Amino acid sequence: MTEISARRDLSTLEIPTDAWTKPFWDATAEGRLLLPQCGACHTFRWPPGPFCPACRSQHTQWQPAGQGLIYSFTIIRAKDQPPTVPALIEFPEAGNIRLIAAIVDTSLDAIVIGAKVKQNWAKAGDTNVPVFTI
Amino acid sequence: MNQEPAIVGIGATPYYFRGESLPQTKHELIGKAVIAAADDAGLPITAIDGIAGYASGVIEPGQLTEMLGLPELNFAALIAAQGGGSAGVLDLAALAIQTGRAHTVLCLGACQQSTNRYGVTFANMAATPDNVWASAAGLQGPGQTMALLTRRHMHLYGTRREAFGEIVIASRQAASTRPTAIRRKPLSMDEYLAAPMLSDPLCRLDFCLETDGALAFIVTSAERARDLRQKPVHIAASAHGGARNWGRAFFWLNMPDEDFASTGSAHTARRLYAQAGITPQDIDVALLYDHFSPLVLMQLEDYGFCPRGEGGPFVESGAIRLGGSIPVNPHGGHLSEAYVIGMTHIREAVEQLRGTAINQIPNAKYALVSGGPAPIPLSGAILRSAA
Ligand SMILES: [Zn+2]
């Protein structure tokens, strides 16, 4: 019997935002995963912030993340609890930005570096936290 | 350079398992270490006119001058880092001595984890717009993010858990002879491999100890050091800083792929070897910050003891044992002796170069001390025996 990665209840999680991260959470509230790109030189950056590290422009445009791949992950085991799997999901179509997000509802055997992931959501306050399955 | 700095005094409290230093206060621990360091140097404590520390919320220069009756401070600086800045206190002290800003600089580090457990750092931090992704994903502390780096290293280079086990076993073997060490019982590979996984691929034994203690070092000019009680240990090179590609490290996790499965220390290493005018082959003993065992392996690569990606086979060959090509942490390190945020590594480097270490490397001339693989600034130092 293979173990399944758990889905944590995030419904009461407070998501603090600022002017630069708010567009991310506004989009996830609508079920869209968007990542920040420089409007001047088109370099993607993470986390969302006030300047493009390549050209210092403040012009930002939000782009669809595209297909995500598992870059790395860890399996956290706490006593008497099902395993949880925080992971780094890399987005090759968005400048290889890596998002820290959990892989949920997935057989641990299937979680390997390089695997393609499917977008899913966990309700958090009045927005959604991106989570992934395989 | 007659203003070359030298370490002339070391002082330490006993090392306590987390919480067992109570009811002493943190400043009491620090004060005891400072008094011991001045005594070791043969200097009156009132000679101290500079303080160098790192910003772990521990060192408060104003409070120390009041508490210890230091007549005046001419230099007071903290490295803007936690464990990453540990060896960097020597860089600050060196700057103060080389410029003549101060004559007798106290370097300090301490921790009392009964009041602040570093292993759950993230859980103690309020969620911010920048870090909320980590808490939403269930990352609670540095060990879990180090596991992400470690798995990537295993994926890229075929590194095995046995290599991490060898690092822990070697540290335990070194600690077995040391009365100061908290974990002294020898460990077998079978026991290591059977230890419970906490954050796969890291098991419980890959995590360092949680301990309390304080250490202090007195730095002055090499010229003045000649007249003091102890054989001086020269600061041949010291550096703090780091490259943008490392950034906030495990708070960022977007380091470019070529830097991700590393410790970010290659930048520090290049600067240190250039400053000291030596190569990794000249280092006799390496005191590498070992909060998590896989990061020792990656530091061996970044500091040039083996090529990138070959840390696993290098460690498994026995190279880091006493008698190996580069003995690592003969004091038992954070994994087996005690965790005082890098300070015990400086102490061991000084004792090795004085020739008074318990697990003495014969004729040790150069010792490397690294600060923690952590957000910039990273730090390191190369110390040289006066002989
Ligand atoms: Zn740009």
Side-chain angles (χ1 to χ4, degrees):
Chain A
M1 190 192 77
T2 171
E3 289 178 289
I4 304 292
S5 63
R7 179 186 277 266
R8 294 163 63 241
D9 176 15
L10 301 177
S11 56
T12 60
L13 180 73
E14 294 274 339
I15 306 275
T17 64
D18 61 24
W20 296 96
T21 64
K22 190 168 180 299
F24 178 89
W25 297 108
D26 287 347
T28 60
E30 298 169 358
R32 293 184 300 149
L33 186 64
L34 302 183
L35 297 173
Q37 181 186 37
C38 174
C41 79
H42 308 300
T43 302
F44 282 88
R45 67 176 177 275
W46 192 261
F51 301 99
C52 167
C55 78
R56 270 60 67 183
S57 167
Q58 292 199 270
H59 184 202
T60 306
Q61 54 201 29
W62 289 82
Q63 301 287 2
Q67 175 66 57
L69 307 171
I70 298 178
Y71 182 80
S72 193
F73 64 96
T74 181
I75 304 166
I76 298 179
R77 295 182 178 281
K79 209 173 185 177
D80 303 324
Q81 285 173 30
T84 58
V85 182
L88 286 173
I89 308 299
E90 187 170 68
F91 295 94
E93 296 157 51
N96 292 320
I97 278 179
R98 290 175 215 131
L99 195 64
I100 309 167
I103 299 173
V104 302
D105 307 337
T106 299
S107 162
L108 295 190
D109 296 343
I111 302 174
V112 294
I113 288 178
K116 287 185 181 176
V117 292
K118 292 181 196 142
Q119 180 64 62
N120 204 299
W121 302 104
K123 193 78 193 145
D126 50 10
T127 185
N128 297 304
V129 168
V131 296
F132 296 88
T133 62
I134 290 186
Chain B
M1 188 165 55
N2 65 359
Q3 292 295 79
E4 187 176 37
I7 301 171
V8 296
I10 57 179
T13 64
Y15 306 144
Y16 303 91
F17 193 75
R18 172 168 55 83
E20 291 179 359
S21 63
L22 295 171
Q24 298 169 100
T25 64
K26 194 155 55 185
H27 277 86
E28 183 177 355
L29 296 174
I30 291 170
K32 287 176 177 175
V34 175
I35 291 165
D39 188 50
D40 181 61
L43 283 166
I45 196 167
T46 50
I48 294 167
D49 69 342
I51 290 180
Y54 44 97
S56 301
V58 174
I59 308 301
E60 294 159 45
Q63 191 167 355
L64 288 179
T65 56
E66 275 181 39
M67 178 178 78
L68 294 171
L70 307 182
E72 60 177 341
L73 283 191
N74 297 312
F75 182 86
L78 305 182
I79 295 234
Q82 305 223 339
S86 59
V89 298
L90 299 176
D91 197 32
L92 293 182
L95 288 169
I97 298 300
Q98 285 163 347
T99 58
R101 278 286 194 279
H103 296 289
T104 309
V105 178
L106 175 64
C107 295
L108 276 174
C111 64
Q112 195 175 42
Q113 295 209 51
S114 49
T115 49
N116 179 15
R117 290 185 70 183
Y118 300 128
V120 288
T121 310
F122 300 175
N124 290 338
M125 293 189 326
T128 67
D130 257 10
N131 72 16
V132 66
W133 288 276
S135 46
L139 290 174
Q140 289 163 356
Q144 300 171 348
T145 51
M146 301 293 181
L148 299 171
L149 274 57
T150 301
R151 186 179 300 281
R152 191 75 194 165
H153 198 280
M154 297 170 87
H155 170 78
L156 289 174
Y157 308 119
T159 312
R160 312 189 312 158
R161 283 193 65 217
E162 283 80 352
F164 314 143
E166 163 64 12
I167 290 165
V168 182
I169 291 165
S171 110
R172 200 62 61 82
Q173 185 197 28
S176 68
T177 60
R178 294 178 60 80
T180 48
I182 301 229
R183 285 182 185 154
R184 276 187 279 173
K185 192 167 163 284
L187 180 75
S188 72
M189 187 61 81
D190 286 346
E191 287 170 311
Y192 171 82
L193 293 172
M197 283 300 207
L198 294 187
S199 189
D200 191 334
L202 300 193
C203 70
R204 186 192 302 282
L205 295 172
D206 294 312
F207 285 63
C208 74
L209 290 157
E210 291 184 293
T211 49
D212 300 347
L215 290 98
F217 306 91
I218 309 269
V219 178
T220 188
S221 67
E223 191 178 9
R224 187 154 163 247
R226 282 201 299 269
D227 302 326
L228 294 177
R229 179 181 290 164
Q230 302 290 351
K231 178 178 164 185
V233 170
H234 293 231
I235 301 175
S238 58
H240 70 278
R244 190 265 174 185
N245 284 354
W246 188 246
R248 291 174 302 137
F250 41 85
F251 293 95
W252 184 29
L253 295 170
N254 271 262
M255 302 84 93
D257 191 41
E258 59 271 27
D259 297 296
F260 184 87
S262 84
T263 66
S265 306
H267 174 266
T268 310
R270 278 194 301 275
R271 295 175 65 206
L272 289 177
Y273 292 130
Q275 216 182 105
I278 63 169
T279 70
Q281 285 67 45
D282 296 311
I283 302 288
D284 298 298
V285 55
L287 292 311
L288 300 180
Y289 195 103
D290 52 339
H291 45 3
F292 301 98
S293 59
L295 279 291
V296 171
L297 186 153
M298 297 183 218
Q299 284 179 88
L300 288 164
E301 299 175 0
D302 285 347
Y303 277 100
F305 296 108
C306 63
R308 174 67 59 88
E310 294 180 21
F314 181 72
V315 163
E316 290 192 57
S317 76
I320 66 168
R321 297 270 184 144
L322 298 167
S325 63
I326 180 65
V328 171
N329 297 350
H331 58 326
H334 292 151
L335 290 167
S336 298
E337 188 192 38
Y339 175 74
V340 194
I341 330 176
M343 290 293 105
T344 59
H345 293 58
I346 299 177
R347 176 186 183 179
E348 176 68 7
V350 172
E351 291 183 351
Q352 287 286 346
L353 299 178
R354 285 181 177 177
T356 60
I358 290 174
N359 295 316
Q360 181 66 44
I361 310 302
N363 306 311
K365 184 177 180 195
Y366 284 107
L368 170 71
V369 187
S370 73
I376 289 175
L378 302 170
S379 67
I382 293 172
L383 307 184
R384 190 184 69 241
S385 163

